[in-house]
Amino acid sequence: MVKAFKPIDILTHAKTRIPNWLVYLLSIPVTILLSFFILEYPCGIEYYGVIYYLKHLSLQNIFLSTITIGILWSILFILCNRVWLANLLCGCICGGIAIANHYVILLHGMPLSFLVLRNFTTAMNVISNYTLMLDNHVIRMLLLVCCLIIFALLTRYFSKTKMHTWPKIIVRNCILILLCISGFYICYLGDNPVKPAKTIGWIWTEPYSKY
């Protein structure tokens, strides 16, 4: 007699068979790529479609965005010491930035930048004169964020609890910090940065993607 497996039985069986390293190897790149997709959505995907936009997006911009998201993820992981929680926070932060960027582009005609953040008070006064509608584009971005949240919770479910000693955690975090500093310098502050124009005084108006 063949025993019928219930969905919960399949998940439980998979949890016992899938090693932690494989869960992390799959979840971290997927989280970064989905976060990249969410951030790029208001920058052109919502107007031109996925295939057309990504086809005309340079590898330089893709590399810059993914490395930046990777740096954000690493910082969150150092702070919370949980892969699934870093995935969750990274997705929520990128979703919030994407939604804010959507409205900034609608009202300002330019993507979100440090220049807009520096004039935050003025921007809020301008926004108060408008009624922000929950349009289909925002709903789609929220759905993407929900997918990332579900994916992060699945990462937590399939991850097995493993205690790490403080020396190992310190060494791991030091390596991540060095990688973040190196990546940030190469992308933004070097003599030939990946960013299209060299950053001066943390204020730039040119977007790092082609809008």
Side-chain angles (χ1 to χ4, degrees), residues 98-155:
I99 293 174
N101 199 19
H102 170 75
Y103 288 116
V104 170
I105 293 174
L106 283 180
L107 301 177
H108 186 58
M110 286 288 292
L112 187 64
S113 66
F114 283 104
L115 182 63
V116 176
L117 295 178
R118 195 183 72 161
N119 299 324
F120 181 77
T121 304
T122 303
M124 293 305 298
N125 291 333
V126 173
I127 291 175
S128 63
N129 296 323
Y130 293 88
T131 301
L132 301 180
M133 303 297 294
L134 188 65
D135 55 28
N136 292 332
H137 298 305
V138 176
I139 293 175
R140 292 191 187 102
M141 284 185 278
L142 289 174
L143 289 176
L144 289 173
V145 173
C146 289
C147 291
L148 263 176
I149 293 174
I150 294 173
F151 187 75
L153 295 177
L154 286 174
T155 302

Side-chain angles (χ1 to χ4, degrees), residues 58 60-61 64 187-188 192-199 204 206-210:
S58 68
Q60 177 187 11
N61 292 325
L64 176 65
C187 289
Y188 292 96
N192 296 298
V194 178
K195 185 176 174 294
K198 190 170 183 178
T199 304
W204 65 81
E206 80 284 355
Y208 64 78
S209 291
K210 295 180 181 178

